[in-house]
Amino acid sequence: MVDFKYYTPTEVVFGKDSESRLAEMVRKYGGNKVLIHYGGGSVVRSGLLDFVKSQLDAAGIPWVELGGVVPNPRLSLARKGIELCRKEGVDFLLAVGGGSVIDSTKVIGYGLNYDGDVWDIYDGKYAPKACTPLGVVLTIPAAGSEMSDSAVITKDEGMVKRGFSSNLCRPRFAIMNPVRTFTLPPYQTAAGVTDMMMHTMERYFSHEDDMLITDAVAEALMRTVKQCGEQVLADPENYQLRAQIMWAGSLAHNDLTGCGTVSDFATHGIEHELSATYGATHGAGLAAIWPHWAEYVLAENPTRFAQFAVNVLGVPNDFKSPERTARAGIAAMVDFYHRIGMPANLPELIGRPATEAEIAEMAFKATQGKKITLGNLKKLDYDDVVAIYRMANKA
Ligand code: NZQ
Ligand code: ZN
């Protein structure tokens, strides 16, 4: 078990009536004037946005609003948000939505505390010293940004998608009402399930083999999400199922399942280019890559992949061959992706094979111009990333 620090400062208010605590939370964390930031309209249609405004109005907390965050959020809108907040004297940011809205909010929070261009943080030219406090009303369990230290944004010029991690941007509170997730389309539900499982898998596939408690938590989380994820697609208004998934999404990415491990996150790095290039839904992109990443790196630690197959996917253990058990696990994962309507390769994700030129460009960007490697289980350079895209490109 490697040494670790576990820091999870976000106050979680969970349950059917949780949104009624909104104004109290904003006040508690120092909000005097609020930016309400949201996406493309789901919160308008569901009435959540009006409810949020009415809660702030009733408490006498002034607000301004900025909607229009798109999935795989853009820097250009965050820049507008920074300008608006400066003009309006906003001191608290409220994200009403999913990972895209929360991440855009985090970028605004960084930008408000820096006089230069906020992209400098993503280019490694500036290390942020502060982030304006933010809170979340979560509408989709997936990215885990409501408790995470990370903010992923796409620069419009060149469509460069990057993440930046720092404890500064962890939300002060997260309000989570599973009822609000009943309206999620099946594809978004399934992509969310895929993403949260992957956040745990990215921490699970490690060379560390002395982390019984972390493994037990991680395996229980993945089994629960897998089971409830399949069931909820047939029963989308089942509160109990939605609630398990919603809480699991936060635990999957608040570092609980990473205590004592060395996390990998290569699949995420490889996927981000699919979102940037094809506008792929993040979770679906992960499903299209993971089986091929797993096949590529399996030899690094077959026993670990076999443990995953047996303890998470219920694959029978072939005691004579961890490799065979591991491969059966990868096949079982592909079956699972297909059962929940997720792709398991690039043609299934984008409707055609990627071209060689696209593969070369995505691998170039993922490795930041061949300057960095991805992952830890096996450190992947540009050529490795090209090889994985090519494996994923076969239908
Ligand atoms: O824009 P609206 O109209 O609100 O629709 C959204 C959007 O189209 C819709 N939606 C959300 N809640 C809904 C709903 N539709 C009906 N009913 C509801 N209750 O769902 C669509 C997807 O929303 P989005 O916020 O994009 O989803 P998600 O939470 O998966 O976020 C994806 C983004 O998060 C990043 C991804 O890369 C991607 O950019 N990630 C952020 C991480 C972090 N900050 O820690 C970690 C992740 O690994 C991930 O990379
Ligand atoms: Zn993710």
Side-chain angles (χ1 to χ4, degrees):
M1 204 171 194
V2 295
D3 296 351
F4 65 89
K5 219 168 156 184
Y6 179 52
Y7 179 65
T8 313
T10 307
E11 182 167 352
V12 173
V13 186
F14 192 100
K16 285 179 186 148
D17 197 28
S18 49
E19 295 111 341
S20 62
R21 306 271 309 277
L22 174 64
E24 173 198 333
M25 286 293 121
V26 171
R27 282 271 187 242
K28 178 170 175 181
Y29 291 101
N32 295 305
K33 182 152 187 187
V34 174
L35 172 74
I36 306 172
H37 201 30
Y38 57 95
S42 72
V43 296
V44 179
R45 288 191 296 281
S46 69
L48 178 59
L49 186 64
D50 281 344
F51 185 79
V52 162
K53 289 174 181 174
S54 71
Q55 292 289 301
L56 297 179
D57 286 342
I61 303 171
W63 50 265
V64 292
E65 66 183 302
L66 181 64
V69 178
V70 293
N72 305 314
R74 302 292 171 79
L75 185 63
S76 51
L77 189 73
R79 283 181 177 138
K80 270 191 201 152
I82 295 164
E83 222 173 276
L84 176 68
C85 289
R86 285 209 170 111
K87 193 171 118 230
E88 296 285 343
V90 164
D91 63 4
F92 193 89
L93 308 172
L94 183 63
V96 185
S100 296
V101 173
I102 304 168
D103 288 2
S104 182
T105 306
K106 289 175 174 179
V107 174
I108 294 172
Y110 282 132
L112 285 172
N113 291 275
Y114 175 50
D115 287 336
D117 179 9
V118 68
W119 185 255
D120 288 350
I121 294 170
Y122 288 81
D123 255 350
K125 292 185 188 148
Y126 176 71
K129 314 282 181 297
C131 180
T132 298
L134 61 122
V136 173
V137 181
L138 188 67
T139 64
I140 171 172
S145 185
E146 66 277 5
M147 290 182 88
S148 85
D149 65 351
S150 136
V152 185
I153 196 89
T154 300
K155 184 167 79 153
D156 309 58
E157 306 85 37
M159 293 302 279
V160 184
K161 183 169 182 177
R162 293 232 174 114
F164 178 79
S165 296
S166 144
N167 281 326
L168 295 169
C169 77
R170 290 199 196 254
R172 300 293 208 270
F173 66 81
I175 288 176
M176 299 188 216
N177 178 356
V179 174
R180 294 288 177 189
T181 68
F182 287 3
T183 52
L184 279 170
Y187 192 76
Q188 290 298 339
T189 299
V193 159
T194 303
D195 193 18
M196 62 184 77
M197 279 186 84
M198 192 65 64
H199 291 154
T200 310
M201 289 151 73
E202 296 276 24
R203 293 167 166 98
Y204 184 87
F205 289 104
S206 149
H207 286 293
E208 295 309 309
D209 54 6
D210 172 28
M211 38 184 205
L212 293 181
I213 180 64
T214 297
D215 274 1
V217 171
E219 288 168 1
L221 191 151
M222 291 187 281
R223 278 195 306 268
T224 305
V225 171
K226 180 175 168 286
Q227 188 187 327
C228 295
E230 278 190 73
Q231 290 173 5
V232 85
L233 289 169
D235 191 6
E237 301 205 356
N238 183 317
Y239 182 86
Q240 291 305 334
L241 295 173
R242 289 287 188 189
Q244 311 305 318
I245 294 171
M246 195 168 207
W247 184 220
S250 302
L251 295 180
H253 204 33
N254 76 357
D255 291 338
L256 178 64
T257 61
C259 295
T261 77
V262 177
S263 60
D264 190 80
F265 278 91
T267 306
H268 266 73
I270 296 171
E271 189 293 315
H272 280 172
E273 300 313 320
L274 302 178
S275 300
T277 307
Y278 308 109
T281 298
H282 170 62
L286 294 171
I289 292 298
W290 185 80
H292 313 284
W293 168 85
E295 191 69 43
Y296 194 78
V297 305
L298 188 146
E300 296 292 317
N301 193 348
T303 315
R304 193 88 186 132
F305 281 90
Q307 183 181 329
F308 174 74
V310 173
N311 290 357
V312 177
L313 302 171
V315 166
N317 199 343
D318 179 342
F319 290 99
K320 290 201 196 100
S321 167
E323 282 86 0
R324 265 205 300 273
T325 311
R327 288 217 158 75
I330 297 171
M333 204 62 198
V334 168
D335 282 350
F336 170 66
Y337 288 149
H338 284 156
R339 279 201 305 279
I340 63 170
M342 286 288 102
N345 57 47
L346 286 181
E348 287 175 3
L349 178 74
I350 62 173
R352 62 168 173 84
T355 64
E356 272 298 310
E358 286 168 346
I359 287 177
E361 192 185 340
M362 290 192 292
F364 188 79
K365 282 181 172 173
T367 55
Q368 294 185 14
K370 304 190 184 181
K371 285 200 208 86
I372 62 162
T373 58
L374 301 181
N376 280 307
L377 188 65
K378 177 178 169 68
K379 290 197 184 301
L380 305 171
D381 63 15
Y382 170 85
D383 290 332
D384 296 314
V385 175
V386 166
I388 291 170
Y389 280 130
R390 283 189 185 143
M391 286 165 73
N393 212 21
K394 295 195 185 99

